[in-house]
Amino acid sequence: MTLTDADLTRYARHIVLREIGGAGQTKLRDSHVVVIGAGGIGSPAIQYLAAAGVGTLTLVDDDRVDLSNLQRQTIFGTSDIGAAKVDAAAKAVAGLNPTVQVRALDQRVAGAQAADIIAIADAVLDGSDNFATRLAVADAALTRRVPLVSAAVAEFEGQLGVFRGWESDKPCYRCFVGTDPERAEATCAEQGVLGALTGVMGSLAALEAIRACYPFGEDSAGKLLLVDALALRFRTLSLPKDTGCPACGIRRP
């Protein structure tokens, strides 16, 4: 299916980019991204993925919109308080770009179900707020060989990584964080978080999900972006593959 006249107008600023063009925009229209968490990271990511014309979005979150969310989760408005986040986000996507198909899953990801949720995705963007969910999603992405874009924020710091651990020279998420799902974690309510920083990290996560669907520029897998908003400093580190990693260190068939 070719791009319509409306598509050519809506996505004109993408299409004139030599690295994307009509072929890239068509690939985005045919792509499917799963977004885990519709909170601080997911909120801007969902908006930019929809605006970019990613054809199918699966949104996964079991939370409800709270007044305290609105400081950073800009996909929601005051009238959404009390609504399921995935339903409110789906409504916002329909208003922004009605050509995008949205699958809203009002549930928490756990265990084996993660693999089923992302089975046919072209990329999974994880902005969840707990380590157990991140590990479940990461393991599923590795098993299904789906590129994983993982982003996190706390206070004035953010981090972003892209993981394709099934490749011989690329780390998986467990190469980076280890394996302990019960380690202590502080919440946004306890630590605080700069709202605008979640917008930065969510937008960058959307960029990497788009790059996973239609590659352009340098490959970002195996790198970790660290953002320090207090110093306005961005650093990129190389992440080596852990040859002893129990998830990806053993050669897979």
Side-chain angles (χ1 to χ4, degrees):
M1 184 184 299
T2 59
L3 296 173
T4 67
D5 289 344
D7 291 335
L8 295 174
T9 300
R10 180 184 287 269
Y11 307 117
R13 272 57 171 185
H14 272 179
I15 293 169
V16 297
L17 292 172
R18 180 178 57 188
E19 293 82 359
I20 297 180
Q25 194 59 54
T26 301
K27 183 62 171 69
L28 291 180
R29 183 198 60 197
D30 296 337
S31 294
H32 177 193
V33 175
V34 175
V35 181
I36 308 294
I41 297 294
S43 172
I46 292 165
Q47 290 173 299
Y48 273 104
L49 290 171
V54 173
T56 304
L57 296 176
T58 293
L59 314 181
V60 189
D61 198 311
D62 69 341
D63 203 2
R64 299 295 182 268
V65 180
D66 185 80
L67 179 60
S68 64
N69 299 148
L70 304 186
Q71 165 255 9
R72 62 199 177 281
Q73 298 175 21
T74 55
I75 199 171
F76 308 122
T78 303
S79 62
D80 294 315
I81 292 174
K85 285 187 176 180
V86 289
D87 292 337
K91 180 180 177 181
V93 169
L96 176 62
N97 190 346
T99 69
V100 175
Q101 301 297 310
V102 179
R103 180 187 181 206
L105 301 181
D106 184 6
Q107 65 186 71
R108 179 176 289 269
V109 176
Q113 69 176 174
D116 294 332
I117 291 172
I118 70 170
I120 58 173
D122 295 286
V124 55
L125 190 161
D126 185 9
S128 58
D129 59 2
N130 68 89
F131 194 53
T133 296
R134 290 196 292 269
L135 281 180
V137 171
D139 289 345
L142 179 63
T143 298
R144 295 293 191 179
R145 300 195 173 194
V146 176
L148 169 65
V149 180
S150 178
V153 292
E155 297 182 340
F156 295 91
E157 298 180 346
Q159 67 182 32
L160 173 70
V162 178
F163 301 92
R164 300 197 306 269
W166 62 89
E167 297 182 13
S168 61
D169 60 340
K170 297 293 190 297
C172 74
Y173 186 73
R174 286 184 183 268
C175 290
F176 169 47
V177 301
T179 60
D180 183 9
E182 302 303 326
R183 67 183 187 183
E185 292 184 288
T187 66
C188 285
E190 295 167 329
Q191 286 187 310
V193 61
L194 182 66
L197 180 59
T198 66
V200 171
M201 300 310 300
S203 297
L204 287 171
L207 186 156
E208 291 305 329
I210 291 168
R211 192 200 307 269
C213 293
Y214 187 77
F216 57 87
E218 295 184 11
D219 185 6
S220 50
K223 300 175 184 177
L224 180 70
L225 176 67
L226 300 176
V227 179
D228 180 351
L230 288 176
L232 193 59
R233 179 166 52 224
F234 287 65
R235 293 185 296 153
T236 302
L237 308 177
S238 294
L239 291 177
K241 190 179 188 72
D242 180 1
T243 56
C245 175
C248 74
I250 300 174
R251 184 177 296 276
R252 291 168 170 263

